[in-house]
Amino acid sequence: WTNTAGRDTKTNKTNVLPIAVIRDPFSWMQSMCKNPYVARWRHSQAHCPNFVPNADDFALGVSPTTKTIGVTVKYKPPVEYESLLHYWMAWYKEYLDADY
């Protein structure tokens, strides 16, 4: 662990219990529709979160053969996800996989 507050640099991190609150995926995605931060995907307020494309998405230029709406997150370098739900899974999986 290198991300430690200055006053806690001598704390034995094996004695720390990390706690993460996981938000329900649908409300997280609704929030992302209002404020997507660095995530980018084709969506409209009429159909968001959009797991599978419909007429609103086709009007935005999504191909009718598209099965899911892809998401690009503007990290450096950018990361692409198959859908907003895949992004949610990857976001919280980092907490599960973290080496505390």
XYZ file of all heavy atoms in Angstrom:
822
model
N 0.832 -1.186 0.000
C 0.000 0.000 0.000
C 0.865 1.233 0.000
O 1.698 1.424 0.876
C -0.805 0.021 1.257
C -2.238 -0.343 1.145
C -2.903 -0.908 0.108
C -3.193 -0.168 2.178
N -4.194 -1.100 0.431
C -4.403 -0.646 1.700
C -3.141 0.342 3.443
C -5.556 -0.619 2.453
C -4.280 0.367 4.190
C -5.473 -0.106 3.693
N 0.661 2.106 -0.916
C 1.418 3.348 -0.926
C 0.499 4.549 -0.702
O 0.974 5.638 -0.476
C 2.155 3.527 -2.264
O 1.195 3.479 -3.328
C 3.186 2.425 -2.467
N -0.799 4.344 -0.757
C -1.744 5.442 -0.584
C -2.139 5.525 0.897
O -3.127 4.959 1.315
C -2.974 5.205 -1.466
C -3.889 6.398 -1.452
O -3.558 7.434 -0.907
N -5.050 6.250 -2.053
N -1.340 6.224 1.683
C -1.549 6.317 3.126
C -1.445 7.764 3.566
O -0.577 8.494 3.112
C -0.479 5.478 3.869
O -0.541 4.141 3.389
C -0.701 5.483 5.355
N -2.348 8.156 4.453
C -2.273 9.501 5.017
C -0.962 9.645 5.796
O -0.487 8.687 6.410
C -3.457 9.750 5.935
N -0.376 10.821 5.779
C 0.917 11.064 6.411
C 1.022 10.599 7.846
O 2.005 9.995 8.251
N -0.011 10.830 8.649
C 0.047 10.452 10.054
C -0.107 8.950 10.259
O 0.130 8.446 11.345
C -1.002 11.208 10.855
C -2.420 10.954 10.399
C -3.411 11.766 11.228
N -4.672 11.998 10.612
C -5.553 11.092 10.238
N -5.294 9.841 10.383
N -6.701 11.436 9.703
N -0.499 8.210 9.217
C -0.723 6.768 9.353
C 0.356 5.929 8.678
O 0.179 4.728 8.492
C -2.083 6.400 8.757
C -3.242 6.978 9.547
O -3.091 7.143 10.768
O -4.292 7.249 8.951
N 1.486 6.525 8.344
C 2.513 5.781 7.615
C 3.088 4.625 8.425
O 3.555 3.653 7.859
C 3.665 6.704 7.177
O 4.183 7.375 8.329
C 3.195 7.701 6.134
N 3.030 4.708 9.747
C 3.586 3.636 10.579
C 2.528 2.616 11.021
O 2.844 1.685 11.738
C 4.272 4.234 11.805
C 5.478 5.070 11.432
C 6.143 5.658 12.645
C 7.312 6.522 12.206
N 7.955 7.168 13.335
N 1.298 2.793 10.564
C 0.221 1.875 10.936
C 0.425 0.532 10.247
O 0.692 0.473 9.053
C -1.146 2.450 10.522
O -1.326 3.696 11.179
C -2.277 1.517 10.872
N 0.306 -0.543 11.002
C 0.397 -1.884 10.441
C -0.892 -2.149 9.667
O -1.951 -2.347 10.258
C 0.586 -2.914 11.558
C 0.728 -4.323 11.025
O 0.511 -4.590 9.844
N 1.102 -5.230 11.908
N -0.810 -2.172 8.368
C -2.001 -2.281 7.534
C -2.651 -3.654 7.581
O -3.790 -3.822 7.171
C -1.667 -1.875 6.113
C -1.332 -0.396 6.057
C -0.848 0.024 4.704
C -0.446 1.451 4.688
N 0.790 1.736 5.381
N -1.969 -4.642 8.105
C -2.597 -5.950 8.261
C -3.581 -5.945 9.419
O -4.367 -6.878 9.568
C -1.539 -7.057 8.477
O -0.797 -6.772 9.654
C -0.628 -7.178 7.278
N -3.558 -4.895 10.237
C -4.497 -4.762 11.352
C -5.684 -3.870 11.007
O -6.433 -3.474 11.891
C -3.788 -4.186 12.583
C -2.735 -5.126 13.127
O -2.835 -6.334 12.943
N -1.735 -4.577 13.777
N -5.848 -3.553 9.729
C -6.909 -2.651 9.292
C -7.987 -3.456 8.576
O -7.680 -4.318 7.748
C -6.338 -1.571 8.344
C -7.445 -0.702 7.781
C -5.306 -0.725 9.061
N -9.237 -3.192 8.896
C -10.356 -3.833 8.223
C -10.928 -2.852 7.199
O -11.580 -1.873 7.569
C -11.451 -4.221 9.223
C -12.743 -4.758 8.614
C -12.479 -6.081 7.897
C -13.794 -4.929 9.697
N -10.665 -3.070 5.918
C -11.227 -2.173 4.905
C -12.725 -2.432 4.737
O -13.173 -3.576 4.769
C -10.460 -2.533 3.635
C -9.939 -3.899 3.867
C -9.815 -4.091 5.340
N -13.480 -1.368 4.580
C -14.928 -1.471 4.384
C -15.294 -0.671 3.141
O -14.886 0.475 2.989
C -15.698 -0.932 5.599
C -15.379 -1.772 6.835
C -17.194 -0.907 5.321
C -15.977 -1.246 8.109
N -16.057 -1.303 2.264
C -16.538 -0.625 1.065
C -18.051 -0.753 1.015
O -18.603 -1.829 1.250
C -15.925 -1.237 -0.187
N -18.722 0.337 0.730
C -20.166 0.320 0.565
C -20.439 0.200 -0.926
O -19.968 1.013 -1.719
C -20.811 1.603 1.131
C -22.305 1.609 0.877
C -20.503 1.732 2.609
N -21.166 -0.838 -1.283
C -21.440 -1.085 -2.706
C -22.852 -0.622 -3.013
O -23.820 -1.076 -2.403
C -21.257 -2.572 -3.050
C -19.801 -2.956 -2.798
C -21.662 -2.846 -4.488
C -19.491 -4.401 -3.035
N -22.931 0.282 -3.966
C -24.220 0.836 -4.342
C -24.941 -0.114 -5.291
O -24.332 -0.738 -6.154
C -23.992 2.182 -5.037
C -25.237 2.959 -5.236
C -24.909 4.377 -5.602
N -26.129 5.107 -5.837
C -26.149 6.355 -6.220
N -25.027 7.011 -6.384
N -27.284 6.954 -6.428
N -26.248 -0.193 -5.141
C -27.033 -1.053 -6.019
C -26.821 -0.609 -7.469
O -26.778 0.586 -7.760
C -28.498 -1.000 -5.565
C -29.484 -0.608 -6.629
O -29.669 -1.379 -7.574
O -30.075 0.476 -6.516
N -26.616 -1.562 -8.389
C -26.208 -1.201 -9.748
C -27.185 -0.303 -10.488
O -26.763 0.599 -11.204
C -26.049 -2.545 -10.461
C -26.652 -3.565 -9.599
C -26.715 -3.005 -8.210
N -28.486 -0.503 -10.314
C -29.424 0.310 -11.076
C -29.395 1.761 -10.627
O -29.360 2.672 -11.457
C -30.842 -0.262 -10.998
C -31.771 0.381 -11.987
C -31.666 0.088 -13.337
C -32.722 1.290 -11.579
C -32.500 0.695 -14.271
C -33.571 1.895 -12.494
C -33.462 1.593 -13.842
N -29.365 2.024 -9.323
C -29.323 3.419 -8.867
C -27.975 4.055 -9.210
O -27.903 5.246 -9.509
C -29.621 3.534 -7.376
O -28.599 2.961 -6.609
N -26.877 3.261 -9.200
C -25.569 3.775 -9.605
C -25.614 4.204 -11.069
O -25.120 5.271 -11.430
C -24.500 2.701 -9.388
C -23.113 3.114 -9.720
C -22.231 3.769 -8.907
C -22.411 2.896 -10.954
N -21.032 3.961 -9.555
C -21.119 3.435 -10.810
C -22.756 2.295 -12.152
C -20.175 3.388 -11.832
C -21.821 2.250 -13.172
C -20.548 2.791 -12.993
N -26.241 3.374 -11.917
C -26.315 3.710 -13.342
C -27.221 4.906 -13.584
O -26.919 5.742 -14.441
C -26.765 2.490 -14.143
C -25.672 1.447 -14.217
S -26.098 0.010 -15.172
C -26.758 -1.022 -13.886
N -28.317 5.019 -12.830
C -29.174 6.206 -12.959
C -28.390 7.463 -12.592
O -28.512 8.495 -13.253
C -30.403 6.073 -12.063
C -31.423 5.102 -12.572
C -32.601 4.978 -11.621
O -32.417 4.915 -10.408
N -33.796 4.939 -12.174
N -27.574 7.374 -11.565
C -26.736 8.500 -11.164
C -25.728 8.839 -12.261
O -25.463 10.008 -12.532
C -26.020 8.157 -9.861
O -25.167 9.192 -9.482
N -25.167 7.817 -12.886
C -24.207 8.039 -13.976
C -24.876 8.725 -15.167
O -24.234 9.490 -15.880
C -23.581 6.719 -14.427
C -22.617 6.130 -13.420
S -21.152 7.150 -13.159
C -20.301 6.914 -14.705
N -26.161 8.470 -15.368
C -26.886 9.146 -16.447
C -26.942 10.649 -16.196
O -26.847 11.450 -17.129
C -28.306 8.592 -16.573
S -28.379 6.904 -17.175
N -27.086 11.044 -14.941
C -27.159 12.462 -14.594
C -25.789 13.122 -14.595
O -25.639 14.275 -14.988
C -27.812 12.625 -13.215
C -29.260 12.226 -13.208
C -29.838 12.322 -11.819
C -31.261 11.785 -11.809
N -31.780 11.608 -10.475
N -24.772 12.395 -14.109
C -23.413 12.928 -14.057
C -22.436 11.806 -14.395
O -22.016 11.071 -13.513
C -23.115 13.498 -12.671
C -21.818 14.256 -12.649
O -21.090 14.290 -13.629
N -21.512 14.860 -11.525
N -22.073 11.685 -15.672
C -21.250 10.553 -16.096
C -19.762 10.672 -15.763
O -18.996 9.746 -16.036
C -21.464 10.515 -17.608
C -21.818 11.906 -17.973
C -22.543 12.478 -16.790
N -19.338 11.778 -15.178
C -17.930 11.980 -14.842
C -17.069 11.755 -16.079
O -17.213 12.472 -17.035
C -17.516 11.110 -13.645
C -18.351 11.389 -12.425
C -19.446 10.585 -12.112
C -18.088 12.488 -11.615
C -20.243 10.865 -10.998
C -18.871 12.769 -10.503
C -19.945 11.949 -10.209
O -20.723 12.234 -9.124
N -16.197 10.767 -16.088
C -15.316 10.547 -17.233
C -15.803 9.413 -18.139
O -15.114 9.035 -19.073
C -13.858 10.279 -16.781
C -13.258 11.512 -16.145
C -13.783 9.079 -15.862
N -16.986 8.888 -17.875
C -17.550 7.824 -18.714
C -18.326 8.452 -19.873
O -19.038 9.440 -19.705
C -18.472 6.935 -17.887
N -18.171 7.858 -21.049
C -18.846 8.368 -22.239
C -19.521 7.214 -22.963
O -18.908 6.178 -23.202
C -17.851 9.051 -23.189
C -17.119 10.229 -22.571
C -18.058 11.413 -22.350
N -17.364 12.527 -21.729
C -17.413 12.801 -20.431
N -18.081 12.035 -19.608
N -16.775 13.838 -19.939
N -20.791 7.393 -23.296
C -21.524 6.439 -24.108
C -22.724 7.153 -24.709
O -23.139 8.199 -24.234
C -21.972 5.226 -23.277
C -23.085 5.476 -22.312
C -24.410 5.194 -22.502
C -23.006 6.078 -21.014
N -25.145 5.563 -21.403
C -24.292 6.110 -20.463
C -21.957 6.588 -20.241
C -24.570 6.635 -19.207
C -22.232 7.111 -18.990
C -23.521 7.132 -18.489
N -23.246 6.609 -25.790
C -24.401 7.219 -26.436
C -25.641 6.914 -25.614
O -25.988 5.754 -25.408
C -24.569 6.682 -27.854
C -23.490 7.155 -28.775
C -23.757 6.705 -30.175
N -22.650 7.151 -31.022
C -22.678 7.124 -32.322
N -23.721 6.649 -32.956
N -21.644 7.544 -33.014
N -26.285 7.958 -25.152
C -27.525 7.800 -24.400
C -28.316 9.093 -24.443
O -27.789 10.154 -24.757
C -27.243 7.402 -22.943
C -26.553 8.460 -22.137
N -25.205 8.712 -22.245
C -27.030 9.333 -21.219
C -24.877 9.693 -21.419
N -25.969 10.084 -20.790
N -29.587 8.967 -24.181
C -30.464 10.137 -24.084
C -31.154 10.088 -22.726
O -31.230 9.031 -22.101
C -31.509 10.118 -25.211
O -32.425 9.059 -25.013
N -31.660 11.205 -22.283
C -32.376 11.231 -21.013
C -33.656 10.390 -21.085
O -34.134 9.893 -20.073
C -32.694 12.669 -20.606
C -31.467 13.481 -20.244
C -30.657 12.864 -19.116
O -31.181 12.232 -18.219
N -29.346 13.042 -19.170
N -34.176 10.196 -22.302
C -35.396 9.398 -22.476
C -35.143 7.908 -22.248
O -36.058 7.180 -21.890
C -35.968 9.620 -23.871
N -33.897 7.476 -22.444
C -33.580 6.039 -22.315
C -32.216 5.883 -21.657
O -31.210 5.643 -22.325
C -33.605 5.368 -23.697
C -33.428 3.888 -23.629
N -32.561 3.220 -24.464
C -33.991 2.942 -22.852
C -32.603 1.924 -24.198
N -33.466 1.729 -23.220
N -32.200 6.047 -20.368
C -30.944 5.893 -19.635
C -31.265 5.441 -18.220
O -32.156 6.016 -17.593
C -30.174 7.211 -19.606
S -28.469 7.018 -19.058
N -30.644 4.422 -17.680
C -29.556 3.678 -18.312
C -30.077 2.792 -19.444
O -31.170 2.250 -19.364
C -28.985 2.832 -17.180
C -30.076 2.705 -16.175
C -30.914 3.943 -16.320
N -29.267 2.691 -20.459
C -29.667 1.920 -21.636
C -28.794 0.669 -21.756
O -27.668 0.729 -22.188
C -29.596 2.778 -22.896
C -28.292 3.541 -23.041
O -27.520 3.658 -22.107
N -28.047 4.062 -24.223
N -29.353 -0.445 -21.329
C -28.629 -1.720 -21.379
C -28.612 -2.273 -22.803
O -27.604 -2.755 -23.284
C -29.267 -2.749 -20.453
C -29.359 -2.284 -19.041
C -30.571 -2.031 -18.456
C -28.207 -2.075 -18.301
C -30.657 -1.603 -17.149
C -28.274 -1.633 -16.995
C -29.507 -1.398 -16.420
N -29.771 -2.241 -23.437
C -29.880 -2.685 -24.829
C -30.490 -1.534 -25.616
O -31.332 -0.792 -25.110
C -30.738 -3.963 -24.965
C -30.041 -5.148 -24.332
C -32.106 -3.784 -24.374
N -30.042 -1.343 -26.849
C -30.518 -0.195 -27.621
C -31.988 -0.307 -28.022
O -32.502 -1.388 -28.262
C -29.602 -0.190 -28.843
C -29.031 -1.550 -28.931
C -29.039 -2.126 -27.560
N -32.636 0.851 -28.077
C -34.004 0.935 -28.592
C -34.057 2.081 -29.599
O -33.014 2.607 -30.004
C -35.018 1.091 -27.460
C -34.966 2.439 -26.778
O -34.235 3.342 -27.185
N -35.741 2.590 -25.716
N -35.241 2.500 -29.988
C -35.396 3.539 -31.011
C -34.697 4.846 -30.615
O -34.135 5.535 -31.483
C -36.877 3.783 -31.278
N -34.716 5.200 -29.334
C -34.025 6.420 -28.890
C -32.530 6.336 -29.195
O -31.911 7.313 -29.608
C -34.222 6.644 -27.390
C -35.659 6.983 -27.030
O -36.304 7.716 -27.799
O -36.117 6.507 -25.981
N -31.944 5.157 -28.972
C -30.515 4.972 -29.222
C -30.214 4.933 -30.715
O -29.204 5.475 -31.162
C -30.021 3.690 -28.547
C -30.244 3.733 -27.052
O -29.805 4.718 -26.422
O -30.868 2.803 -26.525
N -31.093 4.314 -31.486
C -30.883 4.272 -32.944
C -30.899 5.677 -33.519
O -30.149 5.993 -34.436
C -31.941 3.399 -33.622
C -31.958 1.969 -33.136
C -33.143 1.275 -33.040
C -30.789 1.318 -32.757
C -33.175 -0.039 -32.591
C -30.798 0.006 -32.301
C -32.000 -0.669 -32.223
N -31.731 6.572 -32.947
C -31.783 7.967 -33.398
C -30.469 8.691 -33.109
O -30.123 9.662 -33.781
C -32.949 8.695 -32.733
N -29.714 8.212 -32.104
C -28.408 8.802 -31.772
C -27.275 8.239 -32.623
O -26.127 8.611 -32.455
C -28.091 8.571 -30.293
C -28.996 9.260 -29.285
C -28.660 8.794 -27.877
C -28.844 10.772 -29.392
N -27.608 7.288 -33.493
C -26.591 6.713 -34.369
C -26.100 5.339 -33.968
O -25.161 4.819 -34.562
N -26.725 4.740 -32.968
C -26.353 3.379 -32.573
C -26.869 2.432 -33.640
O -28.012 2.527 -34.076
C -26.936 3.023 -31.189
C -26.671 1.575 -30.838
C -26.365 3.939 -30.128
N -26.023 1.501 -34.054
C -26.397 0.548 -35.094
C -27.500 -0.391 -34.600
O -27.455 -0.859 -33.459
C -25.176 -0.270 -35.494
O -25.563 -1.361 -36.306
N -28.484 -0.692 -35.457
C -29.540 -1.629 -35.067
C -29.026 -3.038 -34.759
O -29.711 -3.818 -34.111
C -30.474 -1.651 -36.278
C -30.193 -0.389 -37.007
C -28.753 -0.070 -36.745
N -27.820 -3.375 -35.179
C -27.264 -4.704 -34.899
C -26.506 -4.738 -33.568
O -26.062 -5.806 -33.152
C -26.315 -5.144 -36.027
O -25.246 -4.195 -36.137
C -27.058 -5.240 -37.355
N -26.389 -3.601 -32.910
C -25.682 -3.521 -31.631
C -26.487 -4.213 -30.538
O -27.674 -3.972 -30.394
C -25.449 -2.045 -31.248
O -24.684 -1.426 -32.274
C -24.727 -1.919 -29.926
N -25.817 -5.081 -29.769
C -26.502 -5.800 -28.691
C -26.427 -5.051 -27.359
O -27.331 -5.134 -26.549
C -25.916 -7.199 -28.546
C -26.164 -8.076 -29.760
C -25.801 -9.501 -29.478
C -25.882 -10.391 -30.681
N -27.090 -10.479 -31.378
N -25.332 -4.348 -27.108
C -25.189 -3.554 -25.889
C -24.589 -2.201 -26.254
O -23.960 -2.048 -27.298
C -24.268 -4.232 -24.847
O -22.983 -4.423 -25.419
C -24.840 -5.566 -24.386
N -24.751 -1.230 -25.365
C -24.210 0.113 -25.573
C -22.851 0.171 -24.876
O -22.761 0.091 -23.657
C -25.140 1.189 -24.989
C -26.559 1.055 -25.533
C -24.573 2.583 -25.221
C -26.703 1.352 -27.008
N -21.786 0.302 -25.640
C -20.440 0.363 -25.089
C -20.174 1.647 -24.326
O -20.783 2.689 -24.590
N -19.257 1.571 -23.377
C -18.877 2.714 -22.544
C -17.361 2.886 -22.620
O -16.625 1.910 -22.513
C -19.289 2.495 -21.071
C -18.784 3.625 -20.191
C -20.791 2.356 -20.955
N -16.917 4.115 -22.829
C -15.503 4.443 -22.785
C -15.259 5.335 -21.586
O -15.951 6.336 -21.396
C -15.047 5.172 -24.063
O -15.305 4.331 -25.190
C -13.567 5.517 -24.011
N -14.305 4.956 -20.754
C -13.958 5.755 -19.590
C -12.640 6.447 -19.895
O -11.655 5.807 -20.267
C -13.860 4.886 -18.319
C -13.516 5.742 -17.121
C -15.175 4.151 -18.099
N -12.624 7.754 -19.766
C -11.479 8.576 -20.163
C -10.347 8.546 -19.151
O -9.890 9.568 -18.669
C -11.933 10.018 -20.400
C -12.955 10.164 -21.493
C -12.356 9.858 -22.834
C -13.385 10.088 -23.926
N -12.855 9.888 -25.233
N -9.906 7.319 -18.787
C -8.693 7.182 -18.001
C -7.516 7.426 -18.938
O -7.695 7.604 -20.136
C -8.580 5.770 -17.413
C -9.646 5.391 -16.417
C -10.204 4.117 -16.443
C -10.086 6.267 -15.438
C -11.172 3.738 -15.519
C -11.048 5.892 -14.519
C -11.586 4.633 -14.573
O -12.539 4.262 -13.661
N -6.320 7.411 -18.405
C -5.122 7.518 -19.239
C -4.365 6.209 -19.119
O -3.749 5.979 -18.083
C -4.272 8.700 -18.802
C -4.959 10.004 -19.066
C -4.093 11.168 -18.680
C -4.877 12.438 -18.929
N -4.148 13.619 -18.641
N -4.414 5.332 -20.075
C -5.156 5.398 -21.341
C -6.637 5.074 -21.132
O -7.010 4.465 -20.130
C -4.484 4.318 -22.188
C -4.009 3.302 -21.211
C -3.626 4.082 -19.978
N -7.486 5.465 -22.102
C -8.921 5.183 -21.991
C -9.191 3.681 -21.896
O -8.449 2.870 -22.428
C -9.501 5.749 -23.286
C -8.495 6.744 -23.753
C -7.167 6.235 -23.303
N -10.275 3.332 -21.204
C -10.678 1.935 -21.042
C -12.085 1.790 -21.597
O -12.949 2.625 -21.338
C -10.646 1.514 -19.558
C -11.093 0.082 -19.390
C -9.258 1.715 -18.978
N -12.302 0.730 -22.368
C -13.623 0.487 -22.949
C -14.296 -0.687 -22.253
O -13.643 -1.682 -21.928
C -13.501 0.232 -24.449
C -13.012 1.456 -25.182
C -13.050 1.303 -26.695
O -13.670 0.331 -27.180
O -12.477 2.161 -27.373
N -15.600 -0.546 -22.038
C -16.409 -1.591 -21.415
C -17.553 -1.925 -22.345
O -18.033 -1.076 -23.097
C -16.949 -1.131 -20.058
C -15.857 -0.864 -19.062
C -15.362 0.417 -18.881
C -15.300 -1.897 -18.327
C -14.338 0.667 -17.976
C -14.276 -1.657 -17.420
C -13.804 -0.379 -17.259
O -12.787 -0.133 -16.370
N -18.012 -3.165 -22.261
C -19.089 -3.635 -23.133
C -20.396 -2.879 -22.875
O -21.183 -2.655 -23.789
C -19.284 -5.133 -22.921
C -20.204 -5.783 -23.917
C -20.276 -7.289 -23.735
O -19.300 -7.893 -23.259
O -21.328 -7.846 -24.069
N -20.620 -2.481 -21.627
C -21.840 -1.758 -21.272
C -21.618 -1.019 -19.954
O -20.591 -1.203 -19.292
C -23.013 -2.731 -21.120
O -22.829 -3.532 -19.967
N -22.600 -0.232 -19.564
C -22.532 0.484 -18.294
C -22.516 -0.505 -17.126
O -21.821 -0.290 -16.128
C -23.721 1.443 -18.176
C -23.659 2.497 -17.091
C -22.401 3.353 -17.207
C -24.900 3.376 -17.152
N -23.223 -1.611 -17.274
C -23.217 -2.635 -16.229
C -21.842 -3.285 -16.100
O -21.371 -3.546 -14.998
C -24.272 -3.702 -16.505
C -24.434 -4.767 -15.433
C -24.760 -4.143 -14.082
C -25.510 -5.761 -15.837
N -21.151 -3.501 -17.204
C -19.790 -4.045 -17.152
C -18.847 -3.066 -16.451
O -17.938 -3.473 -15.725
C -19.283 -4.356 -18.563
C -19.926 -5.565 -19.160
N -21.116 -5.501 -19.836
C -19.538 -6.864 -19.179
C -21.434 -6.716 -20.249
N -20.499 -7.563 -19.856
N -19.060 -1.779 -16.666
C -18.259 -0.765 -15.986
C -18.507 -0.826 -14.476
O -17.569 -0.788 -13.682
C -18.587 0.616 -16.551
C -17.872 1.777 -15.907
C -16.562 1.667 -15.456
C -18.503 3.003 -15.763
C -15.911 2.752 -14.860
C -17.867 4.085 -15.187
C -16.572 3.947 -14.732
O -15.942 5.014 -14.162
N -19.779 -0.946 -14.065
C -20.111 -1.062 -12.637
C -19.413 -2.273 -12.031
O -18.828 -2.185 -10.953
C -21.630 -1.177 -12.454
C -22.061 -1.357 -11.032
C -22.321 -0.372 -10.125
C -22.263 -2.591 -10.331
N -22.681 -0.918 -8.916
C -22.652 -2.284 -9.020
C -22.158 -3.936 -10.696
C -22.941 -3.263 -8.065
C -22.441 -4.905 -9.750
C -22.827 -4.567 -8.459
N -19.454 -3.411 -12.727
C -18.822 -4.636 -12.204
C -17.312 -4.452 -12.053
O -16.728 -4.846 -11.045
C -19.123 -5.824 -13.123
C -20.570 -6.262 -13.058
S -20.940 -7.788 -13.970
C -20.542 -7.333 -15.640
N -16.675 -3.834 -13.041
C -15.226 -3.618 -12.975
C -14.870 -2.637 -11.857
O -13.873 -2.813 -11.149
C -14.716 -3.101 -14.320
N -15.695 -1.594 -11.682
C -15.460 -0.578 -10.651
C -15.406 -1.213 -9.264
O -14.488 -0.988 -8.490
C -16.570 0.472 -10.729
C -16.497 1.537 -9.690
C -17.141 1.551 -8.491
C -15.729 2.733 -9.743
N -16.838 2.694 -7.794
C -15.962 3.440 -8.544
C -14.879 3.289 -10.688
C -15.378 4.665 -8.272
C -14.294 4.518 -10.407
C -14.542 5.183 -9.221
N -16.399 -2.043 -8.943
C -16.447 -2.650 -7.622
C -15.546 -3.870 -7.487
O -15.123 -4.213 -6.385
C -17.892 -2.974 -7.228
C -18.636 -1.712 -6.855
C -19.609 -1.176 -7.679
C -18.327 -1.028 -5.687
C -20.269 -0.003 -7.341
C -18.978 0.145 -5.341
C -19.946 0.654 -6.175
O -20.586 1.813 -5.843
N -15.229 -4.507 -8.597
C -14.317 -5.659 -8.542
C -12.929 -5.227 -8.064
O -12.226 -5.988 -7.403
C -14.230 -6.331 -9.908
C -13.478 -7.644 -9.888
C -13.606 -8.339 -11.220
C -12.998 -9.710 -11.248
N -11.758 -9.900 -10.594
N -12.556 -3.997 -8.354
C -11.262 -3.500 -7.876
C -11.193 -3.525 -6.350
O -10.136 -3.786 -5.779
C -11.003 -2.095 -8.405
C -10.684 -2.088 -9.887
C -10.239 -0.733 -10.373
O -9.638 0.031 -9.582
O -10.495 -0.431 -11.555
N -12.296 -3.264 -5.684
C -12.319 -3.336 -4.226
C -12.170 -4.780 -3.742
O -11.488 -5.051 -2.759
C -13.605 -2.743 -3.657
C -13.673 -1.251 -3.788
C -14.431 -0.657 -4.814
C -12.993 -0.413 -2.911
C -14.498 0.726 -4.944
C -13.059 0.962 -3.042
C -13.800 1.513 -4.054
O -13.866 2.873 -4.191
N -12.830 -5.704 -4.447
C -12.721 -7.116 -4.076
C -11.321 -7.663 -4.283
O -10.830 -8.469 -3.495
C -13.696 -7.952 -4.899
C -15.165 -7.854 -4.520
C -16.023 -8.586 -5.548
C -15.396 -8.427 -3.140
N -10.666 -7.225 -5.344
C -9.351 -7.751 -5.704
C -8.196 -7.012 -5.041
O -7.052 -7.418 -5.184
C -9.166 -7.713 -7.223
C -10.123 -8.655 -7.943
O -10.672 -9.553 -7.270
O -10.296 -8.499 -9.160
N -8.485 -5.924 -4.354
C -7.401 -5.124 -3.750
C -6.636 -5.938 -2.736
O -7.211 -6.737 -1.995
C -7.980 -3.872 -3.106
N -5.348 -5.734 -2.707
C -4.488 -6.423 -1.754
C -4.330 -5.523 -0.531
O -3.474 -4.645 -0.496
C -3.138 -6.726 -2.378
C -2.210 -7.482 -1.444
O -2.709 -8.066 -0.469
O -0.998 -7.460 -1.697
N -5.174 -5.739 0.431
C -5.109 -4.930 1.648
C -4.116 -5.549 2.566
O -3.715 -5.302 3.515
C -6.494 -4.827 2.301
C -7.517 -4.169 1.422
C -8.493 -4.904 0.780
C -7.489 -2.798 1.229
C -9.433 -4.289 -0.028
C -8.426 -2.184 0.419
C -9.392 -2.933 -0.208
O -10.314 -2.312 -0.987
